[in-house]
Amino acid sequence: MVGFQRLIDEGGIDIVPIDLTRTGFTQAIEIAHYTYSRGRKVCNHNFNTDINTAASLHFLCAIENARVLEYRVEPGEISRSLAKDPALFYVGLR
C-alpha cells in the first residue's frame, strides 16, 4: 500500500494500475479507495489469463473510480482449451 501511496502523492500519477495477481482483492480495494480519495482513477494491469481478466472485471465493477480494463488480445492456452466459440477482436473497421 505504501508504494501506491507514494506513486499517487509524490509521483503524481493520474491513473493507478493495479495487478490483482500481486495485490489480491482486499488490498486492491484498499488501494482503489485511497486512489478515489485523492481524485485519481484506477485501471487493472492484466497480462496473464482469462481468469485474471474475469477477476479484473469484477474488481473494476466494484469500485467507483474505474477507468479502463487492460485486456490481453492474444489468446492464452486456457482460452484456446476452454472456449468452443471464442470472441474475435479486430483492429479497425470490418
Side-chain angles (χ1 to χ4, degrees):
M1 180 74 176
V2 173
F4 282 98
Q5 290 171 331
R6 289 189 64 205
L7 279 172
I8 295 163
D9 297 335
E10 297 173 27
I13 62 173
D14 294 322
I15 299 174
V16 179
I18 300 175
D19 185 341
L20 286 176
T21 64
R22 303 211 183 258
T23 64
F25 276 105
T26 302
Q27 188 174 23
I29 293 291
E30 291 172 3
I31 295 165
H33 285 246
Y34 184 81
T35 303
Y36 181 77
S37 75
R38 298 298 192 262
R40 308 289 166 70
K41 298 287 186 180
V42 167
C43 71
N44 69 308
H45 174 65
N46 174 28
F47 217 76
N48 290 323
T49 67
D50 292 335
I51 294 168
N52 190 17
T53 300
S56 294
L57 280 169
H58 283 280
F59 163 64
L60 292 174
C61 289
I63 62 173
E64 297 181 63
N65 53 331
R67 173 73 176 148
V68 67
L69 169 74
E70 180 182 86
Y71 178 74
R72 180 180 176 172
V73 180
E74 300 86 19
E77 183 59 34
I78 292 176
S79 297
R80 288 190 296 272
S81 65
L82 292 179
K84 293 179 182 178
D85 189 19
L88 300 176
F89 296 92
Y90 300 99
V91 175
L93 300 173
R94 294 238 174 195

